[in-house]
Amino acid sequence: MRVLLIGSGGREHALAWKIAASPLLTKLYAAPGNPGIGREAELVRLDIADHAAVVRFCREKEIDLVVVGPEGPLVAGIADDLRAEGIRVFGPSKAAARLEGSKGFTKDLCARYGIPTAAYGRFGDLASARAYVEKAGAPIVIKADGLAAGKGVTVAMMLDEALAALDACFDGSFGQAGAEVVVEEFLTGEEASFFCLCDGTTALPFGTAQDHKRVGDGDTGPNTGGMGAYSPAPVMTPEIIDRTMREIVEPTMRGMAETGAPFSGVLFAGLMITDKGPKLIEYNTRFGDPECQVLMMRLKDDLLVLLNAAADGQLAHTSVRWRDEAALTVVMAARGYPGTPEKGSVIRGVEAAAGDGVEIFHAGTAINGGALVANDGRVLNVTATGRTVGEAQKKAYAALDRIDWPQGFCRRDIGWLAVAREQAN
């Protein structure tokens, strides 16, 4: 098979690494990719926002499957444009990607189909949003309706913080994504990530993980795109997984089909496990980043076989096997993140840090003058496997400490909740 992978982050490096291991693969292209992805695939200069150019490339290279990594192209309808030209693609249609592209759309779907989620209000103007928040009080959650690179959500513990978040949305801090806001009830419990591969009809459970969104140790500081993750998530017991499928995923699949937008691709449910069971926080319509990195390390089966089954509507006849080991990834970020990151600093020792159950996935790197440099906020994903989360954590931090990058930083407590559970047992 000839495959085109769209994207350039750590998620896409992990996907490229796993796809490249498939015996089905004859050629892997990536657009635009990064230096790490370039070890697994041929990088191509392709404007992924120019869907006609992507279609032309697929025709010229006789691409058998396009795998879309990030959410932006999906929300922009790249899967529709490829399918219209008879090109097979793994990823949802523009209409189905609204599950991520509009938080308000998802909340309304939940209300219509009885899917457990936080109580909410939708607002298109500052005055009505402020009135709702002032009446509800804090803690409360403010979300920009559209895509905001993981930074459009404020969990406000104080009223002033909530009102400031509303001001930021309507002042244009998140562009068009903040033109409408969703205000949600604050949920208490433990967060978890749950994934399904979907083919429009069937949703196949595809692993659990737990992400660390806050920038600082102890879950402090502002939200980020994710500072680390581990898999599996102990809170996702067989009972909770069963309830999640019955109460959240299956009604969503049914609802999307009934609205004329059957969902295919990855359905990523961000959950809060409350004392009443799982509640949906939000949907993403692609693999999580950095959750994808730990899932790929644990996946026993051929990823390309699974992606093909999803693209062809054959998931009802498919199963997934996982390695017994846990996996954990630590994000190394550039100083200044999640604000304005410092770019251009040289990173040394990355290749020497890998090996013995450790993979270093590139997220925001570039080559400058022959040297590997930081080129974004989240730069490297140091990922390790172990018999337990604690063992994977030790291996990941030992590898991370061999990387020479004074301008980088990371959290030092990724996996802390799972490690505490292990120690308690």
Side-chain angles (χ1 to χ4, degrees):
M1 289 187 64
R2 300 167 71 82
V3 178
L4 170 63
L5 173 64
I6 300 237
S8 62
R11 164 185 49 225
E12 288 76 33
H13 188 184
L15 291 172
W17 174 76
K18 195 66 178 176
I19 291 170
S22 172
L24 296 179
L25 186 74
T26 53
K27 182 69 177 180
L28 178 60
Y29 298 95
N34 65 39
I37 295 172
R39 296 204 301 265
E40 314 290 350
E42 180 180 331
L43 304 186
V44 293
R45 291 181 177 273
L46 194 57
D47 180 1
I48 60 176
D50 185 346
H51 297 180
V54 176
V55 167
R56 284 196 300 273
F57 178 84
C58 292
R59 290 263 183 254
E60 291 167 5
K61 300 298 184 181
E62 299 180 328
I63 297 298
D64 297 299
L65 181 69
V66 178
V67 179
V68 185
E71 63 274 18
L74 293 169
V75 171
I78 194 170
D80 306 74
D81 293 337
L82 288 164
R83 290 189 181 108
E85 296 295 328
I87 298 166
R88 296 169 69 249
V89 58
F90 177 78
S93 67
K94 181 177 183 177
R98 285 179 296 170
L99 283 171
E100 178 164 7
S102 171
K103 294 178 178 64
F105 171 83
T106 296
K107 298 296 286 190
D108 288 351
L109 185 85
C110 289
R112 192 156 59 246
Y113 286 90
I115 296 167
T117 188
Y120 73 103
R122 291 180 71 174
F123 304 96
D125 67 276
L126 178 59
S128 56
R130 283 182 66 97
Y132 182 94
V133 167
E134 286 171 345
K135 182 177 180 181
I140 200 164
V141 181
I142 311 297
K143 296 182 176 181
D145 179 71
L147 299 180
K151 299 174 186 174
V153 176
T154 300
V155 180
M157 302 310 292
M158 304 295 291
L159 184 60
D160 287 350
E161 187 183 4
L163 297 176
L166 289 177
D167 289 340
C169 285
F170 288 110
D171 285 348
S173 295
F174 305 107
Q176 192 58 33
E180 183 174 322
V181 300
V182 173
V183 181
E184 290 186 353
E185 164 197 16
F186 175 79
L187 295 176
T188 57
E190 186 172 341
E191 288 191 49
S193 302
F194 181 69
F195 299 85
C196 289
L197 297 185
C198 306
D199 64 8
T201 303
T202 299
L204 178 68
F206 193 77
T208 67
Q210 196 159 70
D211 187 16
H212 297 63
K213 285 292 187 190
R214 300 279 189 168
V215 72
D217 286 7
D219 294 326
T220 58
N223 274 333
T224 71
M227 294 300 294
Y230 61 90
S231 176
V235 72
M236 293 300 292
T237 62
E239 179 195 0
I240 293 295
I241 289 173
D242 180 65
R243 287 190 61 180
T244 300
M245 290 298 295
R246 284 188 291 106
E247 299 173 17
I248 296 175
V249 173
E250 290 168 7
T252 298
M253 292 291 287
R254 184 170 65 253
M256 293 304 289
E258 290 177 1
T259 59
F263 189 89
S264 65
V266 180
L267 189 61
F268 164 12
L271 304 173
M272 183 70 79
I273 312 305
T274 72
D275 55 6
K276 295 181 180 178
K279 290 192 176 186
L280 181 71
I281 299 172
E282 65 180 8
Y283 273 130
N284 295 312
T285 60
R286 36 69 189 183
F287 284 110
D289 189 348
E291 292 98 332
C292 183
Q293 290 82 313
V294 289
L295 290 176
M296 293 305 108
M297 292 286 279
R298 293 188 57 236
L299 180 61
K300 200 171 187 177
D301 288 309
D302 185 330
L303 177 64
L304 196 47
V305 169
L306 295 169
L307 301 184
N308 274 313
D312 292 339
Q314 297 296 313
L315 286 176
H317 313 292
T318 307
S319 59
V320 182
R321 297 175 301 163
W322 299 97
R323 293 187 171 88
D324 292 335
E325 297 98 333
L328 181 141
T329 189
V330 182
V331 170
M332 295 191 76
R335 199 156 49 198
Y337 181 77
T340 303
E342 298 177 10
K343 297 183 180 181
S345 54
V346 175
I347 308 166
R348 300 179 177 87
V350 171
E351 291 189 9
D356 187 28
V358 176
E359 295 289 338
I360 315 294
F361 296 117
H362 291 226
T365 62
I367 300 294
N368 186 3
L372 185 70
V373 300
N375 196 44
D376 207 341
R378 294 187 297 167
V379 178
L380 296 171
N381 307 141
V382 183
T383 314
T385 56
R387 289 171 298 174
T388 63
V389 173
E391 184 176 292
Q393 182 193 61
K394 287 179 182 177
K395 286 172 66 175
Y397 280 110
L400 185 149
D401 289 336
R402 291 195 290 273
I403 296 173
D404 179 13
W405 183 31
Q407 293 81 10
F409 76 96
C410 68
R411 280 183 58 165
R412 303 297 306 194
D413 64 345
I414 301 301
W416 67 271
L417 201 54
V419 172
R421 274 196 176 98
E422 290 170 358
Q423 291 172 346
N425 293 332

